[in-house]
Amino acid sequence: MKNDKQSIDANSSAENVEQHLQELEKADYELLYYSQEQSFSADELARVINERRLNELLAQSDEFLSGLNSEIEDFDDSY
């Protein structure tokens, strides 16, 4: 009788854990799904984007591309 009770308790604990894990997985999926569908207003984006840093990065990328373009042109001239 005691073994039967332990077996029932173990099954119910395992079932509870399994159910809880499935609910967590569903919640994670829903969070991911809805976060991808969310659109942001210009005001919301302005609050989260560091405009100064973004401009610095854009300037660096422009310099890099300019230098790369120069190297490519020099490479083409050597052939």
Side-chain angles (χ1 to χ4, degrees):
M1 178 86 167
K2 187 175 182 180
N3 288 341
D4 289 341
K5 173 118 172 85
Q6 287 176 341
S7 176
I8 290 170
D9 289 345
N11 286 340
S12 116
S13 294
E15 288 172 359
N16 287 338
V17 168
E18 180 65 27
Q19 181 181 1
H20 182 70
L21 291 174
Q22 288 176 354
E23 289 172 6
L24 288 175
E25 186 176 300
K26 181 180 176 188
D28 287 345
Y29 174 77
E30 288 175 352
L31 180 63
L32 176 64
Y33 176 79
Y34 289 116
S35 68
Q36 291 174 351
E37 296 294 321
Q38 200 172 40
S39 61
F40 296 97
S41 70
D43 290 338
E44 289 171 321
L45 289 176
R47 283 196 304 266
V48 296
I49 292 175
N50 182 336
E51 190 173 348
R52 182 186 61 78
R53 181 66 180 136
L54 178 60
N55 288 329
E56 289 172 3
L57 291 171
L58 289 172
Q60 288 176 1
S61 67
D62 287 345
E63 290 172 21
F64 171 76
L65 291 174
S66 177
L68 186 61
N69 192 31
S70 167
E71 292 295 322
I72 290 172
E73 288 173 1
D74 291 344
F75 181 78
D76 286 342
D77 291 342
S78 65
Y79 283 99

